């Protein structure tokens, strides 16, 4: 009888991999995601501030145009994505649930063209489409049958109380200190290439940027939240086409407009 | 006899569940257009652009690509363009974020988050209070970001000039 129950349990677990969720449930999930994401985003801005001064509005508008051009090609175009530039020399970018995406001024200074920026924003969008942070901090609304069995077996010992504040705190710790882990970062790198190239950007651009960042790794301004650059470059090179990056007319137009927007920012010491 | 019946039942259940599971689950294109490519490569020729919501079943997987048959065409679509749920309608979701008061949400201990969930290694109490002080919020700056709108004409012009799709 014990063996019979076990087989039944396995059967149920196997069948419960992908429950079809009602649209209302999924809309509510997205509402919850936005609620947590806004709070995380607000605190990321609180940490660094938005880039101020002359040229910053134009730069933010430009980053939004590049990012928004990727959205229809992503795996979650229904999310309202927002892009902003953080006022820090630190070289990094962040994605808060609900579509709040940030790139630092420090990273923009390393980026050389629009296609590299598209690769970075595509990477951040992929964190949203693949729900990387959600999986760490947000509870599942619909509990799968397999999970119910797991809980039954664990005799309900888990602490089920989950508050907004704790999710926000956990999310911030992951984004700013611990990182999402190498597997998710590699997946986001791939997403950066996939989404940017689907929108018409050069697929090799993100790899070029990573190679440049690798050379700067010794300067110590690079985040400890991501896997080592050689590892990221090796993983990406397996999926991106070989050969030099494009120098087409449209590539040059895109590079020029990136440089023009960056040139309007006041020079500041780093 | 009783034993034989029991094992027949068990075998049927296994076959039923496993068999049912092996039938390919439907997948849906989530991107506005998902490229069906000749080979599982980013630069492979596009056989067909599949509109958002297109349902299909995967014949096999090759790395991060699904091998699929759409009509008479067999090709590959990258898994980052697809999902296991039907895509949500965009229109109904446009203003989801704006209708929530951030100041209230800071204080809210939403009952919706008290649904069943594991703690995933989090601890409560003083760590939470420390966290609030450690990461101060800036709701005004956030609202500034949220109020930014891109005019569709500006976006289209930007994309055309840059040779984007």
């Amino acid at each position: 009888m014990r063996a019979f129950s076990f087989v039944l349990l396995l059967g149920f677990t196997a069948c419960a991999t992908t429950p079809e969720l009602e649209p209302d449930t999924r809309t509510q999930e997205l509402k919850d995601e936005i609620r947590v994401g806004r709070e995380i985003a607000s605190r990321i801005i609180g940490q660094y501030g938005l880039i101020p001064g002359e040229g910053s509005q134009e730069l933010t508008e430009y980053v939004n145009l590049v990012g928004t051009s990727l959205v229809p090609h992503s795996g979650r175009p229904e999310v309202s994505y927002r892009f902003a530039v953080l006022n820090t020399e630190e070289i990094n970018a962040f994605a808060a649930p609900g579509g709040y995406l940030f790139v630092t001024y420090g990273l923009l200074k390393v980026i050389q063209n629009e296609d590299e920026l598209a690769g970075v924003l595509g990477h951040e969008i992929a964190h949203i489409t693949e729900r990387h942070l959600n999986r760490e901090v947000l509870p599942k609304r619909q509990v799968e049958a397999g999970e119910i069995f797991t809980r039954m077996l664990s005799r309900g010992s888990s602490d089920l109380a989950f508050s907004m504040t704790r999710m926000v705190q956990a999310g911030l710790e992951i984004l700013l200190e611990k990182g999402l882990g190498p597997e998710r970062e590699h997946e986001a790198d791939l997403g950066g290439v996939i989404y940017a190239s689907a929108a018409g950007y050069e697929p090799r651009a993100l790899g070029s940027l990573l190679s440049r960042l690798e050379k700067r790794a010794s300067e110590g301004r690079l985040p400890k939240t991501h896997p080592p650059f050689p590892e990221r470059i090796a993983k990406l090179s397996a999926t991106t086409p070989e050969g030099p990056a494009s120098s087409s007319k449209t590539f040059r137009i895109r590079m020029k407009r990136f440089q023009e927007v960056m040139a309007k920012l006041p020079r500041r010491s780093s | 006899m009783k034993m034989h019946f029991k094992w027949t039942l068990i075998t049927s259940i296994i076959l039923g569940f496993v068999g049912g599971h092996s039938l390919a689950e439907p997948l849906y294109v989530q991107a506005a257009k998902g490229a069906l490519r000749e080979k599982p490569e980013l630069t492979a020729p596009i056989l067909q652009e599949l509109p958002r919501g297109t349902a299909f079943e995967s014949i096999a997987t090759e790395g991060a690509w699904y091998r699929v048959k759409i009509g008479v065409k067999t090709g590959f679509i990258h898994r980052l363009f697809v999902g296991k749920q039907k895509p949500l309608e965009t229109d109904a979701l446009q203003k989801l974020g704006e209708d929530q008061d951030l100041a209230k949400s800071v204080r809210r201990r939403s009952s919706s988050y008290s649904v069943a969930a594991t703690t995933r290694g989090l601890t409560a109490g003083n760590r939470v209070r420390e966290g609030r002080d450690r990461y101060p919020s800036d709701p005004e700056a956030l609202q500034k970001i949220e109020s930014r709108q891109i005019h569709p004409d500006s976006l289209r012009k930007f994309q055309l000039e840059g040779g984007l799709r």
Side-chain angles (χ1 to χ4, degrees):
Chain A
M1 193 61 202
R2 196 171 286 174
F4 178 79
S5 305
F6 181 66
V7 170
L8 196 63
L9 176 65
L10 277 181
F12 275 125
T13 310
C15 274
T17 49
T18 316
E20 184 73 37
L21 302 181
E22 291 298 321
D24 283 354
T25 308
R26 292 167 57 216
T27 306
Q28 187 57 45
E29 274 183 346
L30 183 53
K31 279 183 182 174
D32 289 348
E33 179 183 341
I34 292 168
R35 194 173 292 150
V36 176
R38 294 182 93 205
E39 188 58 29
I40 291 175
S42 175
R43 289 170 190 279
I44 289 173
I45 302 167
Q47 183 83 352
Y48 298 107
L50 295 178
I51 188 165
E54 197 183 336
S56 64
Q57 291 303 311
E58 202 173 327
L59 175 64
T60 305
E61 176 79 8
Y62 173 76
V63 171
N64 273 274
L65 283 165
V66 176
T68 308
S69 296
L70 306 180
V71 170
H73 305 280
S74 78
R76 286 182 81 194
E78 69 273 14
V79 174
S80 295
Y81 292 88
R82 278 100 175 181
F83 304 87
V85 181
L86 296 172
N87 187 28
T88 173
E89 295 288 340
E90 198 178 302
I91 295 169
N92 213 340
F94 305 99
Y100 297 89
L101 308 187
F102 301 95
V103 57
T104 66
Y105 175 67
L107 177 54
L108 282 173
K109 285 204 304 184
V110 182
I111 290 172
Q112 287 183 347
N113 56 58
E114 185 173 308
D115 292 48
E116 290 180 0
L117 174 61
V120 168
L121 298 179
H123 171 110
E124 298 308 321
I125 289 173
H127 280 313
I128 303 295
T129 65
E130 300 311 295
R131 296 174 172 84
H132 286 158
L133 192 59
N134 303 18
R135 287 177 187 164
E136 293 294 324
V137 300
L138 281 160
K140 284 181 188 171
R141 184 161 291 279
Q142 180 153 322
V143 180
E144 293 173 5
E147 195 174 342
I148 292 172
F149 278 114
T150 308
R151 285 197 198 152
M152 283 165 65
L153 294 171
S154 69
R155 298 173 201 280
S157 59
S158 302
D159 174 10
L160 301 181
F162 216 99
S163 75
M164 169 80 155
T165 315
R166 288 159 75 183
M167 284 187 275
V168 171
Q169 162 75 5
L172 285 163
E173 280 181 6
I174 290 168
L175 289 178
L176 302 175
E177 296 168 31
K178 296 176 187 166
L180 283 157
E183 204 173 304
R184 285 170 177 165
E185 292 302 338
H186 293 317
E187 189 170 46
D189 280 342
L190 180 62
V193 172
I194 296 278
Y195 295 150
S197 64
Y201 286 106
E202 166 57 53
R204 301 164 188 86
L206 183 61
S208 304
L209 174 65
L210 293 180
S211 300
R212 202 167 327 114
L213 286 169
E214 184 189 8
K215 288 173 191 159
R216 290 187 166 226
S218 57
E219 291 177 17
R221 274 190 189 144
L222 296 170
K224 305 277 188 284
T225 50
H226 288 66
F229 286 104
E231 193 180 304
R232 293 177 70 182
I233 293 162
K235 286 261 181 190
L236 254 195
S237 63
T239 49
T240 48
E242 289 175 7
S246 168
S247 58
S248 67
K249 187 183 169 191
T250 49
F251 176 84
R252 291 197 301 274
I253 289 170
R254 297 193 297 263
M255 183 157 76
K256 188 167 175 254
R257 64 189 183 187
F258 172 82
Q259 289 167 343
E260 282 171 357
V261 171
M262 288 300 289
K264 285 177 188 167
L265 290 173
R267 287 185 180 277
R268 38 188 196 176
S269 55
S270 50
Chain B
M1 183 65 192
K2 198 176 172 186
M3 197 63 186
H4 180 258
F5 172 75
K6 186 175 153 185
W7 283 108
T8 306
L9 184 64
I10 290 170
T11 311
S12 306
I13 288 169
I14 294 170
L15 287 175
F17 281 127
V18 174
H21 187 61
S22 70
L23 285 175
E25 292 179 280
L27 296 165
Y28 302 91
V29 175
Q30 306 289 325
K33 282 177 190 171
L36 182 71
R37 294 188 185 269
E38 207 173 278
K39 291 181 195 171
E41 293 166 12
L42 274 182
T43 50
I46 296 174
L47 297 172
Q48 195 179 334
E49 297 269 24
L50 304 174
R52 179 171 159 86
T54 304
F56 62 88
E57 287 178 357
S58 167
I59 303 168
T61 54
E62 285 195 28
W65 297 80
Y66 289 117
R67 185 165 179 236
V68 299
K69 191 173 181 194
I70 307 276
V72 293
K73 291 173 184 165
T74 302
F76 297 85
I77 185 163
H78 200 279
R79 70 174 176 75
L80 287 176
F81 294 126
V82 305
K84 290 175 181 173
Q85 304 284 340
K86 285 177 193 162
L88 284 170
E89 296 296 328
T90 309
D91 293 353
L93 300 165
Q94 283 292 327
K95 296 287 175 189
L96 268 179
E98 287 81 352
D99 66 8
Q100 297 169 58
D101 184 337
L102 182 64
K104 281 182 188 167
S105 78
V106 174
R107 294 187 293 272
R108 186 182 293 139
R109 290 175 66 85
S110 171
S111 60
S112 68
Y113 297 116
S114 299
V115 295
T118 58
T119 56
R120 299 170 206 245
L122 300 180
T123 58
N126 55 351
R127 259 185 84 199
V128 172
R129 286 189 290 277
E130 280 167 18
R132 283 194 175 199
D133 298 333
R134 210 156 106 211
Y135 307 115
S137 72
D138 189 344
E140 288 78 22
L142 180 67
Q143 279 163 358
K144 209 166 122 187
I145 293 171
E146 288 180 333
S147 64
R148 181 177 289 279
Q149 298 282 333
I150 291 184
H151 196 281
D153 291 344
S154 311
L155 182 63
R156 195 67 209 123
K157 185 171 174 266
F158 180 84
Q159 291 168 339
L160 281 173
E161 280 174 0
L164 303 175
R165 288 188 275 271

